Amino acid sequence: MSAIRFEPSSSLKPKPDESNLEFGKTFTDHMFLLDYTEGKGWHDPRIVPYGPLTLDPAAMVFHYGQAIFEGLKAFRSKDNKILLFRPDKNAQRMNVSNDRLSIPEMDEEAFVEYVKALINVDRDWVPSAEGTSLYIRPFIMAVEPCLGVRASKQYVFAIIMSPVGAYYKEGIHPVKISVESHYVRAVRGGTGFAKTAGNYSSGIKAQEEAKHGGFAQVLWLDGKEHAYIEEVGSMNIFFKIDGEVVTPELNGSILAGVTRDSVIRLLNDWGIPFSERRISIQEIYEASQQGKLEEAFGTGTAAVISPVGELHWLEHTMKINEGRTGEISQKIYDTITGIQNGKLEDSYGWNVLVHEDVKV
Amino acid sequence: MSAIRFEPSSSLKPKPDESNLEFGKTFTDHMFLLDYTEGKGWHDPRIVPYGPLTLDPAAMVFHYGQAIFEGLKAFRSKDNKILLFRPDKNAQRMNVSNDRLSIPEMDEEAFVEYVKALINVDRDWVPSAEGTSLYIRPFIMAVEPCLGVRASKQYVFAIIMSPVGAYYKEGIHPVKISVESHYVRAVRGGTGFAKTAGNYSSGIKAQEEAKHGGFAQVLWLDGKEHAYIEEVGSMNIFFKIDGEVVTPELNGSILAGVTRDSVIRLLNDWGIPFSERRISIQEIYEASQQGKLEEAFGTGTAAVISPVGELHWLEHTMKINEGRTGEISQKIYDTITGIQNGKLEDSYGWNVLVHEDVKV
């Protein structure tokens, strides 16, 4: 890993009001950039003022979507430490995504160092208000100017950061979800397990139609049989059925969420019956009919836990826990956010401290 | 449609050697740009010098791949006319893609006028050597700087153009194709019928593995049963079996190719038995075993016709027409390229003349 070049911004922006942060709209003073050229590898790591990227209109990312990303958060603890949540998991997954899209592998330790270095430069941007955090967005895109359909020979890896507010302003809040019966997010053999740009654009239309129908999001079913549950919006999904917590197994079309992994770890430690397996929407419906569908919640970096209060499938409405947040959902939320912001002991070693003396 | 603003390039580039044009690597002197902003619609059509685009690093296209494109060609006839092949079909399909990705609709007549205006400005770039053409790439991308996963409120529509050489330098040439048994291009409910950026990046890995195995491309099977034929590489596919030409029906996961449509029109006019239907790889294998697999060819804008000489599926090798270009493949190729370059009469009204007096 070569030294990071640092070009400080000559004019620092005012910090936004921490009580009114919109997700992913305000960005910090600097960004991190790293180039890849065939034959030369990843090179020229640098932290520069946040500002526009200049790309040839034939840059492959515009045409063939060869692009992947990650998302993680840093938190400011009460004693003013900056804690980064499980960045090693994002580094690993980035290379899973890279492999699927034929993007060259990146050094995972370097990835974490780059994230830490950028946070350190803009550490004043990590907000301190209850529930706030610094959202970190590393991404890679193909920039070779060429219209041939093949892997690019040039890439840019970038990290940008945005202070974000509490996802739930008035405590966590169960949402209404529509089970998607027409559109499909991913299918085995496709890119569903990778964090690729194209996976997200393909879900927008279903999401818009759900919003139009009064739902917060869609529950995705598998692309093959339209029978098995995959994800909810862009989150993983868990159900508690008759005392057991279940989540769809990672079958090739589901993203391996970092929060999903953390939730599983907690459930196992708490001795709560848990399994990863195929779950049909029919099974969920039957459990609901029998009064055994006790909880349902999405998991993801942005919200941590998003309880499902109501599930609509064809002509059926399934009310879950009378539309209230379940006990386990709340306990998981409190535990993960507590570890993240340093209020609870981090017995898992999930937090990575961002020292002030990171070399740039 | 508002008037197109024209900012001429102050220094024109030298034209490349027409005998040695690489696909999509050299671009003309100008490009076309049009902006979209929510509330204001598509606005400010302009032709400006070809040059870099400046985008915020949070521009949504980099993160969520909300981007679509088209591809079409203009040809210079022997009597020095410039002929554009079926641009109305691209305009229609662009809006199909826009709808699938929740990108605002564009006026289809304006699309054609923009293409014509740009060609007219750079008409000296339309090459005249046998088999050459000007490849035209219109594309749309989401440019709002926002990390929320939703439809962008700002877009850029751009057109860039590249002179391209004969696809087959020594006559059309049958290729070896591997039937893809692991990766999937698209599934019904997904985006396979739209020309989205993400559809192409997801196919790169399979294509690389096929190349590594000595094949020119992969034949994609359906994502549901891995049994039915969909496309070949980024082309549509046709087979001639026992005197009948067949192609997979447009089932929601297959792109409605303009060349595909033109081929079907010719086959019908020529009275050749033809059907669009589900075709299993098993059926192709059995036809091959019985000596009834007479021809196979891909169709697309770049190559027009790409004959398949050999098909590999699991442990089976199917040799087609002894590895030679079939009679119908050749006749279609000669007819379409003949109409495109003005040597044959255009009885279908496919060519659109690009007049010299297009207003800019």
Side-chain angles (χ1 to χ4, degrees):
Chain A
M1 194 176 108
S2 50
I4 300 170
R5 184 157 63 81
F6 180 39
E7 183 194 321
S9 175
S10 56
S11 68
L12 301 184
K13 296 180 268 195
K15 305 286 182 298
D17 174 7
E18 287 194 8
S19 66
N20 196 17
L21 294 167
E22 216 180 326
F23 181 81
K25 292 287 263 182
T26 308
F27 297 92
T28 68
D29 289 312
H30 296 89
M31 63 184 181
F32 176 89
L33 296 175
L34 178 72
D35 298 319
Y36 179 93
T37 315
E38 198 182 55
K40 203 172 171 184
W42 291 105
H43 65 276
D44 195 14
R46 56 202 187 275
I47 291 173
V48 297
Y50 184 95
L53 300 175
T54 296
L55 291 180
D56 195 284
M60 293 175 94
V61 63
F62 298 141
H63 303 271
Y64 308 127
Q66 205 193 355
I68 63 100
F69 69 95
E70 276 301 326
L72 66 165
K73 281 177 170 177
F75 301 82
R76 187 180 293 276
S77 70
K78 288 288 166 221
D79 56 351
N80 217 21
K81 284 184 181 134
I82 292 177
L83 305 171
L84 190 53
F85 191 70
R86 309 191 75 184
D88 52 310
K89 296 293 284 182
N90 297 92
Q92 284 165 20
R93 188 173 61 187
M94 175 191 60
N95 274 335
V96 170
S97 302
N98 282 342
D99 178 68
R100 182 62 185 83
L101 281 209
S102 300
I103 294 173
E105 193 176 30
M106 261 191 72
D107 184 293
E108 294 174 14
E109 283 180 31
F111 169 95
V112 175
E113 291 310 309
Y114 297 151
V115 168
K116 286 160 83 176
L118 182 63
I119 294 171
N120 198 42
V121 162
D122 281 343
R123 58 191 299 134
D124 291 349
W125 282 86
V126 184
S128 56
E130 182 70 30
T132 63
S133 60
L134 185 69
Y135 181 80
I136 300 148
R137 169 57 58 88
F139 59 108
I140 302 179
M141 57 189 164
V143 298
E144 184 188 352
C146 174
L147 299 184
V149 180
R150 55 161 174 77
S152 175
K153 293 171 182 174
Q154 297 165 34
Y155 300 87
V156 168
F157 168 84
I159 310 172
I160 57 176
M161 307 194 299
S162 171
V164 297
Y167 200 86
Y168 302 104
K169 294 214 163 69
E170 296 148 8
I172 71 174
H173 172 64
V175 292
K176 280 193 200 178
I177 297 289
S178 165
V179 179
E180 179 58 51
S181 54
H182 175 66
Y183 297 110
V184 167
R185 177 189 169 274
V187 69
R188 204 180 298 199
T191 59
F193 66 96
K195 213 162 169 72
T196 71
N199 285 351
Y200 292 79
S201 57
S202 64
I204 291 173
K205 195 173 167 71
Q207 178 190 324
E208 284 191 338
E209 292 181 5
K211 286 240 156 91
H212 198 73
F215 302 101
Q217 260 301 353
V218 297
L219 184 74
W220 297 107
L221 300 182
D222 76 284
K224 198 172 168 181
E225 302 180 49
H226 280 255
Y228 297 97
I229 289 164
E230 299 232 321
E231 299 192 10
V232 58
S234 53
M235 305 176 96
N236 293 116
I237 178 92
F238 288 72
F239 298 93
K240 181 163 168 259
I241 303 172
D242 200 17
E244 187 195 31
V245 179
V246 294
T247 194
E249 62 192 343
L250 300 177
N251 60 358
S253 56
I254 292 173
L255 192 76
V258 177
T259 311
R260 177 185 185 277
D261 183 84
S262 308
V263 168
I264 292 172
R265 186 76 184 270
L266 291 178
L267 292 170
N268 285 331
D269 268 24
W270 293 341
I272 292 171
F274 167 74
S275 66
E276 290 178 74
R277 59 173 172 82
R278 273 216 314 194
I279 304 161
S280 71
I281 184 66
Q282 183 65 36
E283 176 188 349
I284 295 300
Y285 175 64
E286 286 169 11
S288 166
Q289 288 291 89
Q290 296 158 13
K292 292 178 178 172
L293 182 57
E294 296 156 354
E295 298 190 34
F297 55 95
T299 67
T301 293
V304 183
I305 297 296
S306 178
V308 179
E310 223 177 276
L311 207 49
H312 289 247
W313 176 48
L314 307 174
E315 71 281 14
H316 312 300
T317 297
M318 306 169 229
K319 197 102 179 171
I320 302 168
N321 197 34
E322 291 165 6
R324 290 179 289 108
T325 298
E327 198 183 325
I328 289 181
S329 310
Q330 186 71 53
K331 188 176 174 191
I332 292 169
Y333 179 79
D334 293 342
T335 306
I336 293 181
T337 57
I339 292 173
Q340 286 176 330
N341 63 31
K343 282 185 191 163
L344 294 180
E345 195 202 343
D346 173 25
S347 53
Y348 304 101
W350 284 342
N351 287 332
V352 170
L353 185 67
V354 181
H355 291 283
E356 287 194 48
D357 60 351
V358 171
K359 271 251 277 298
V360 178
Chain B
M1 193 177 108
S2 50
I4 301 170
R5 184 157 64 80
F6 181 38
E7 184 194 319
S9 176
S10 56
S11 68
L12 301 184
K13 295 180 270 195
K15 304 287 183 298
D17 174 6
E18 288 193 6
S19 65
N20 195 17
L21 294 168
E22 216 179 325
F23 181 82
K25 292 286 263 185
T26 308
F27 299 92
T28 69
D29 289 312
H30 297 88
M31 62 183 182
F32 176 89
L33 296 175
L34 178 72
D35 298 320
Y36 179 92
T37 315
E38 198 181 55
K40 203 172 170 185
W42 291 106
H43 64 277
D44 195 13
R46 56 203 186 274
I47 291 173
V48 297
Y50 184 95
L53 300 175
T54 295
L55 291 180
D56 194 284
M60 292 174 93
V61 63
F62 298 140
H63 304 271
Y64 308 128
Q66 206 193 354
I68 63 98
F69 68 95
E70 277 299 328
L72 65 164
K73 281 177 171 176
F75 300 83
R76 187 180 294 277
S77 70
K78 287 288 167 221
D79 56 350
N80 217 21
K81 284 184 181 135
I82 292 177
L83 305 171
L84 191 53
F85 190 70
R86 308 192 74 184
D88 52 310
K89 296 292 284 180
N90 297 93
Q92 284 164 21
R93 188 173 61 187
M94 175 191 60
N95 274 335
V96 170
S97 302
N98 282 342
D99 178 68
R100 182 62 184 84
L101 281 209
S102 300
I103 294 173
E105 193 176 29
M106 262 190 71
D107 185 292
E108 294 174 15
E109 282 180 32
F111 169 93
V112 176
E113 289 311 309
Y114 297 151
V115 169
K116 286 159 82 176
L118 182 63
I119 294 171
N120 198 42
V121 162
D122 281 344
R123 58 190 299 134
D124 292 349
W125 282 86
V126 183
S128 57
E130 181 71 29
T132 63
S133 60
L134 185 69
Y135 181 80
I136 301 148
R137 168 58 57 88
F139 59 107
I140 302 179
M141 55 188 167
V143 298
E144 184 188 353
C146 175
L147 299 184
V149 179
R150 57 160 173 76
S152 176
K153 294 171 181 173
Q154 297 164 33
Y155 299 87
V156 168
F157 168 83
I159 309 172
I160 56 176
M161 307 194 299
S162 172
V164 296
Y167 199 85
Y168 302 104
K169 293 216 163 71
E170 294 148 9
I172 70 174
H173 172 65
V175 292
K176 279 192 201 180
I177 297 289
S178 164
V179 179
E180 179 57 51
S181 53
H182 175 66
Y183 297 110
V184 167
R185 177 187 167 275
V187 69
R188 204 180 298 201
T191 58
F193 66 95
K195 213 162 170 70
T196 72
N199 286 350
Y200 292 79
S201 57
S202 64
I204 292 173
K205 196 174 166 71
Q207 179 190 323
E208 283 191 338
E209 291 182 4
K211 286 239 157 93
H212 198 74
F215 301 102
Q217 260 302 351
V218 296
L219 185 74
W220 297 106
L221 300 181
D222 76 284
K224 198 173 168 180
E225 302 181 48
H226 280 255
Y228 297 97
I229 290 164
E230 300 231 321
E231 299 192 10
V232 58
S234 53
M235 306 176 95
N236 293 116
I237 180 91
F238 288 72
F239 297 93
K240 181 163 167 258
I241 304 172
D242 200 16
E244 187 196 29
V245 178
V246 294
T247 193
E249 62 192 344
L250 300 178
N251 60 358
S253 54
I254 291 173
L255 191 77
V258 177
T259 311
R260 177 185 184 278
D261 183 84
S262 309
V263 168
I264 292 172
R265 186 77 184 271
L266 292 178
L267 291 170
N268 285 332
D269 268 24
W270 293 341
I272 292 171
F274 166 74
S275 67
E276 290 179 75
R277 59 173 173 83
R278 272 215 315 194
I279 305 161
S280 72
I281 184 66
Q282 183 67 35
E283 175 188 348
I284 296 299
Y285 175 62
E286 287 168 12
S288 166
Q289 288 290 90
Q290 294 158 15
K292 292 177 179 172
L293 181 58
E294 295 155 355
E295 297 190 35
F297 54 95
T299 67
T301 294
V304 184
I305 296 295
S306 177
V308 179
E310 222 176 277
L311 207 50
H312 289 247
W313 176 48
L314 308 174
E315 72 280 15
H316 313 300
T317 298
M318 305 169 230
K319 198 101 179 171
I320 303 167
N321 198 33
E322 293 166 6
R324 289 179 288 106
T325 299
E327 198 182 327
I328 289 181
S329 310
Q330 187 70 52
K331 188 175 174 190
I332 293 169
Y333 179 79
D334 293 342
T335 305
I336 293 181
T337 57
I339 292 172
Q340 287 175 329
N341 63 31
K343 283 185 190 162
L344 294 181
E345 196 202 344
D346 172 24
S347 53
Y348 303 101
W350 285 340
N351 287 332
V352 171
L353 186 67
V354 181
H355 291 282
E356 286 193 48
D357 59 351
V358 172
K359 272 250 280 295
V360 179

